Amino acid sequence: MQLSLWLALAGAGVLVSFTPGAGAINTMNNSLTSGFRRTIWGILGQQAALVIHVVIVALGVGVLVASSPLAFNVIRYTGAAYLVYLGIRQFLSKPVENQDDDAALANEPAGAMFKRGFWVNLLNPKAIVFFLAFMPQFIHPEQPLLPQYVVLTATVVVIDILVMWFFFALAARSFQRFTRNARGQTVLSRIFGLLFVAVGILLALIH
């Protein structure tokens, strides 16, 4: 891939990663509830889903999903329902006592954080449609495809990890002072719960 094309890809990747969505909300929520360092597990889950989206599009399955209203809607409504479920669970979560530092935050297993991040990103058919529109601009069919897809995927994944961890997760740390008491935790849980529900509803309603 030419340097100029790669720079354009990197720029597009940065813009996409900074666009707020379910992944950003999930990352900020993880940072507040489990600590900045452990947020990486949820972010890696989101990247695993992103890689699958790229593979789906590269294999041509993405065209079938995008062109089939039934398949698209099944994934869309499943993803929306999952986000609403996460939002309700977060809204109703109980505060944790003695939150003095990252070590004292809720010790959610890394596997659970990874799986939640994975499903939050995977159950978003609009991501498949986006990659269908996004990827062809940076792929030259007359050249070997595998190296191009590897470069594209690695670039997008690395950029998204950096943005999620060092922007959204880090930004959430400024709210950690509110997690020192039960009232602050309850308020933040309800805010993030409502955000998950709102994104889920938007996913279900916006075509």
Side-chain angles (χ1 to χ4, degrees):
M1 184 177 290
Q2 296 177 341
L3 179 60
S4 58
L5 187 62
W6 181 84
L7 290 174
L9 170 64
V14 169
L15 291 176
V16 171
S17 293
F18 272 109
T19 303
I25 294 172
N26 185 58
T27 298
M28 295 181 73
N29 180 62
N30 284 340
S31 182
L32 284 168
T33 58
S34 297
F36 170 74
R37 287 171 293 182
R38 300 191 73 250
T39 303
I40 189 62
W41 296 111
I43 294 172
L44 291 177
Q46 294 170 195
Q47 304 316 308
L50 187 153
V51 171
I52 290 178
H53 280 151
V54 173
V55 171
I56 288 174
V57 173
L59 294 177
V61 181
V63 176
L64 297 178
V65 173
S67 60
S68 170
L70 177 60
F72 184 87
N73 285 330
V74 167
I75 299 174
R76 178 159 65 102
Y77 289 126
T78 302
Y82 182 64
L83 290 174
V84 171
Y85 160 74
L86 288 179
I88 294 173
R89 190 179 70 170
Q90 182 68 33
F91 189 91
L92 299 176
S93 64
K94 302 297 183 182
V96 179
E97 300 296 332
N98 301 320
Q99 300 226 76
D100 294 327
D101 50 36
D102 280 3
L105 296 174
N107 190 27
E108 183 179 11
M113 298 174 68
F114 182 94
K115 285 189 291 186
R116 186 171 65 251
F118 176 80
W119 289 114
V120 162
N121 260 15
L122 187 68
L123 294 174
N124 183 3
K126 293 186 183 296
I128 298 176
V129 175
F130 167 77
F131 277 113
L132 277 173
F134 176 78
M135 288 171 54
Q137 302 177 50
F138 303 99
I139 299 296
H140 293 297
E142 71 279 3
Q143 298 177 7
L145 294 177
L146 182 58
Q148 295 184 75
Y149 279 117
V150 169
V151 171
L152 183 148
T153 304
T155 300
V156 173
V157 165
V158 169
I159 289 174
D160 201 53
I161 289 175
L162 293 175
V163 171
M164 288 295 156
W165 208 14
F166 293 104
F167 181 77
F168 288 110
L170 201 58
R173 296 191 70 179
S174 62
F175 296 102
Q176 275 191 353
R177 63 183 181 275
F178 297 110
T179 66
R180 307 307 182 195
N181 59 73
R183 178 177 173 79
Q185 292 176 49
T186 299
V187 170
L188 287 174
S189 290
R190 290 178 177 174
I191 290 174
F192 278 93
L194 290 173
L195 286 173
F196 272 121
V197 171
V199 173
I201 292 174
L202 286 174
L203 179 60
L205 295 179
I206 296 178
H207 296 274

